[in-house]
């Protein structure tokens, strides 16, 4: 009797494809997950990662992280790819879970060292965590891979600004603006 997790999952996907309300989509995924036996298996883990991504999109970052954690336990940490660690890191960063975010982005970097995006993300986490000297170092290291990256200059500029290094802040932020970053201007004014 009763609807299976799959029934709720397909209902959620259908609603989403029809442009339905994201909170109703999540509610259907909640019903799917609620009908899965614990511990979760690789067969039911799919519902967790689907819900995690939708929770993150809806701004429910902490709940998303818990789903990613359950997914990892169900599938096995050794089977996770760099993309998984990046997705979970994004949710952790927004949930202000800085240490977990750093661990995950460093796992992603270890699995895919050529993906420069992950290195920019590491510098951004360090900045958001208030580790300004480390953020500057990480951004400088990333510039060796991406020589003209405006994000790196912006991160360096903000970190220098927060440390009270006005000249370095202005230099880095002006470089970010010159490279096309349209969000660096307010920081340049802030750190004058």
């Amino acid at each position: 009797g009763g609807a299976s997790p799959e029934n709720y999952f397909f209902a959620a996907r259908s609603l989403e494809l029809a442009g339905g309300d994201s909170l109703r989509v999540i509610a259907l995924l909640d019903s799917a997950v609620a009908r899965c036996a614990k511990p979760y298996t690789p067969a039911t883990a799919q519902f967790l990662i689907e819900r995690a991504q939708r929770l993150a999109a809806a701004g429910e970052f902490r709940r998303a992280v818990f789903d990613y954690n359950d997914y990892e336990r169900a599938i096995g940490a050794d089977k996770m790819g760099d993309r998984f660690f990046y997705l979970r890191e994004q949710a952790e960063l927004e949930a202000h879970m800085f240490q977990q975010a750093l661990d995950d982005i460093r796992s992603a970097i270890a699995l895919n060292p050529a993906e420069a995006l992950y290195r920019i993300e590491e510098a951004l986490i360090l900045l958001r965590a208030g580790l300004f000297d480390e953020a500057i170092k990480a951004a400088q290291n990333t510039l060796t891979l991406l020589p003209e990256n405006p994000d790196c200059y912006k991160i360096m500029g903000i970190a220098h600004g927060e440390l009270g290094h006005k000249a370095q802040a202005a230099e880095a932020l002006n470089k970010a603006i010159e490279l096309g970053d349209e969000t660096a201007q307010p920081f340049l004014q802030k750190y004058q």
Side-chain angles (χ1 to χ4, degrees):
S4 70
E6 288 76 16
N7 292 132
Y8 282 102
F9 177 67
F10 290 124
R13 295 289 291 132
S14 302
L15 180 62
E16 189 171 49
L17 291 169
D21 176 63
S22 63
L23 295 180
R24 283 187 55 213
V25 171
I26 290 168
L28 288 165
L29 290 171
D30 289 343
S31 297
V33 172
R35 282 161 180 78
C36 296
K38 285 184 177 179
Y40 299 112
T41 64
T44 55
Q46 183 61 28
F47 305 133
L48 295 166
I49 197 147
E50 297 279 350
R51 185 173 67 175
Q53 288 171 308
R54 283 152 190 84
L55 285 168
E60 295 264 357
F61 301 111
R62 220 162 253 281
R63 279 189 68 201
V65 171
F66 296 140
D67 273 357
Y68 283 126
N69 294 347
D70 284 342
Y71 176 80
E72 183 185 27
R73 274 191 290 274
I75 304 284
D78 56 328
K79 296 190 179 69
M80 297 298 105
D82 58 297
R83 176 103 187 123
F84 168 82
F85 291 111
Y86 172 69
L87 286 173
R88 188 168 65 182
E89 171 270 325
Q90 297 271 283
E92 288 162 340
L93 181 58
E94 294 303 329
H96 300 273
M97 300 163 84
F98 297 123
Q99 188 55 57
Q100 293 95 319
L102 265 179
D103 292 344
D104 274 348
I105 206 64
R106 286 169 177 166
S107 295
I109 290 167
L111 288 166
N112 187 357
E115 178 51 82
L117 168 72
Y118 298 159
R119 295 174 189 273
I120 295 171
E121 200 65 26
E122 180 185 19
L124 182 63
I125 297 164
L126 292 164
L127 178 68
R128 292 268 303 271
L131 301 169
F132 302 122
D133 289 312
E134 289 183 55
I136 292 165
K137 277 195 206 79
Q140 282 170 333
N141 291 342
T142 304
L143 282 170
T144 60
L145 294 169
L146 296 171
E148 295 286 275
N149 182 272
D151 294 325
C152 292
Y153 285 105
K154 182 174 152 187
I155 289 167
M156 285 163 52
I158 295 170
H160 278 302
E162 292 296 322
L163 290 167
H165 308 156
K166 287 185 179 176
Q168 291 105 310
E171 187 186 347
L173 289 166
N174 276 314
K175 183 76 174 167
I177 292 163
E178 183 189 315
L179 292 169
D181 188 313
E182 287 160 20
T183 61
Q185 189 66 46
F187 292 102
L188 190 58
Q189 283 146 349
K190 179 179 176 183
Y191 300 125
Q192 289 298 314

